Structures are given as structure tokens and as C-alpha cells.
Amino acid sequence: VQNAASSQEPRSGGDEGSQRRWKEEICRILGEIQAPLSPLLLRLCHWLFPKLLTRLFLSVQLHWGQLEMVLRAARMPEVPLVFLCRHQSQMDGLLLSFILLSQGIGVPRVTVGTWPSPCLRSLLQRLGGIFLPSGMAQTLSDQDEGLPGAVLDAYIQEVLQSRQPLILFLEEPLASLRLAEPAQCWLLRVLRALQDGAVPDVLVVPVGIAYDMVP
């Protein structure tokens, strides 16, 4: 992050004013990516979500044998879990978060697409949602992603090092079966964390979600 900041303003010489401006910019970018988790909101949603599910669906079915394998994998020391998921509806992230939290795996960080409402974005961030910084979607094909890319790299490294479960959606809801550009960006961060030695390994868990009728 320091290298990315200094390369954008090489003549600043590291003066105090310049360092303060870059710290403010870094905090702004980090605020676009994530927010501190809200224990109160998490408990409230953990109480409300089963009631919502019973009104929307007749049942929710899990493969217990596969879930037991995930629980065993979650107990491996120093190896984070990365869930690679199909994306059928906007409920997928909440559903997976609820399942992982109810099984004692922890609150995951869930990649979220573009939401037009700032209030909804802020709410999802408090529940564990993470977003690409503004402008990143336009720089996916560029070699130099600048300061936002460096901050995103550092953030994903911290998430993996702290062994927080990470949920990546590989496609957009109701879109064609192809790897979405935001998913490419998130996967690149995980790959860089491995290449840089931030974590020794990751456990990749493929997740399939299917609905009789997509909500």
C-alpha cells in the first residue's frame, strides 16, 4: 500500500501533509470495501432469518455428509476456508452466512455485487458483506490498479490470515454461466495472497445452491 501511494505522488518526499492525505484516502477506500461487524445486527438477523425462510420456502435441504467435511476442514489450523459459489439470487449470501454461523464456523466475509442503495450497502457491510472499491470494475483488465487495488490486496490478506471464512460468488444472479468480472478480481486477490506467502494454503469449498423457484 505504501509503494502504491508513493508511486502516485513521487515528489511529495513523505512530508506530513502528504502522509495524512494518503492515510485519509486509504481509510476511505477501506470504508468502501468493508465495515466493522455489528453483533447486535448479526444476532437480530440470526433470529429473524429462520422465520423468513419458513415463509418463503417449504424446506431448506443440506447435505449433512458434506457439511461435516466442511466442519472438519474448518478445524485445520492456519488454513482459511474459501467458498466458491454459484449465484442464483440475492438471498444466497444471507443463506450461506446463516448456515455457517449456525454451525459455529463463524461470520464469513461475503462478496457482494453492486447495490444502488447506500443504506442497504451499509447494512450488508455490518453483516459481513464486502464490496469492490469504486472504480475497480473499470480497471479489471489493467496491469496497474493503483491504490484501490493495493488496499484490496492487503485487506484480503488480512481476512485470510485471520482465518475468516470468505465467500466468493462466481457469477451474477440470473446471468449466463460464465465467470463474472468481479469474481475474477476477487479470485486474483486470493491467488496473490498465496503467491506472496501471506497464507501457506487455502481450502477451497465448492458450493452449489439450487431453488425449485428462485426468489
Side-chain angles (χ1 to χ4, degrees), residues 83-93 96 110-115 132 167-187 206-211 214:
F83 295 84
L84 302 184
C85 312
R86 296 284 314 276
H87 205 2
Q88 299 291 305
S89 82
Q90 299 291 2
M91 280 193 59
D92 296 346
L96 287 173
V110 185
T111 60
V112 185
T114 303
W115 290 78
L132 290 175
I167 296 177
L168 306 181
F169 289 106
L170 301 179
E171 58 194 7
E172 296 295 334
L174 304 178
S176 59
L177 294 177
R178 63 181 180 85
L179 188 63
E181 289 188 347
Q184 296 178 38
C185 187
W186 292 112
L187 287 169
V207 180
I209 300 176
Y211 300 92
V214 178

Side-chain angles (χ1 to χ4, degrees), residues 4 17 62 76 89 107 125 130 143 154 157 162 165 175 177 179 182-183 206 209 213:
L62 298 174
M76 292 185 63
S89 82
V107 181
Q125 285 181 321
I130 55 177
Q143 293 294 323
Q157 289 185 12
S162 61
L177 294 177
L179 188 63
I209 300 176
M213 181 177 293

Side-chain angles (χ1 to χ4, degrees), residues 43-60:
R43 286 195 293 269
L44 179 63
C45 288
H46 192 71
W47 177 73
L48 285 175
F49 199 63
K51 296 174 172 55
L52 174 64
L53 290 177
T54 57
R55 291 186 176 275
L56 288 177
F57 307 113
L58 294 176
S59 65
V60 177

Side-chain angles (χ1 to χ4, degrees), residues 6 8 16-17 58 70 131 139 175 183:
S6 60
Q8 293 189 16
E16 184 177 344
L58 294 176
V70 173
F131 295 77
T139 61

Side-chain angles (χ1 to χ4, degrees), residues 77-147:
E78 300 182 4
V79 181
L81 289 174
V82 176
F83 295 84
L84 302 184
C85 312
R86 296 284 314 276
H87 205 2
Q88 299 291 305
S89 82
Q90 299 291 2
M91 280 193 59
D92 296 346
L94 291 173
L95 181 60
L96 287 173
S97 296
F98 171 75
I99 292 171
L100 295 181
L101 185 59
S102 64
Q103 296 301 314
I105 296 178
V107 181
R109 289 294 183 172
V110 185
T111 60
V112 185
T114 303
W115 290 78
S117 168
C119 293
L120 184 56
R121 178 180 178 130
S122 177
L123 174 63
L124 292 174
Q125 285 181 321
R126 294 290 182 177
L127 294 173
I130 55 177
F131 295 77
L132 290 175
S134 58
M136 282 292 294
Q138 286 74 33
T139 61
L140 290 179
S141 59
D142 295 344
Q143 293 294 323
D144 183 13
E145 296 170 330
L147 190 58

Side-chain angles (χ1 to χ4, degrees), residues 1-3 5-6 9-28 147:
V1 173
Q2 289 176 343
N3 291 340
S6 60
E9 197 172 345
R11 297 181 180 179
S12 63
D15 60 274
E16 184 177 344
S18 176
Q19 289 181 4
R20 185 172 60 253
R21 288 195 301 273
W22 284 118
K23 284 182 180 179
E24 292 173 354
E25 178 65 11
I26 289 167
C27 289
R28 184 193 67 79
L147 190 58

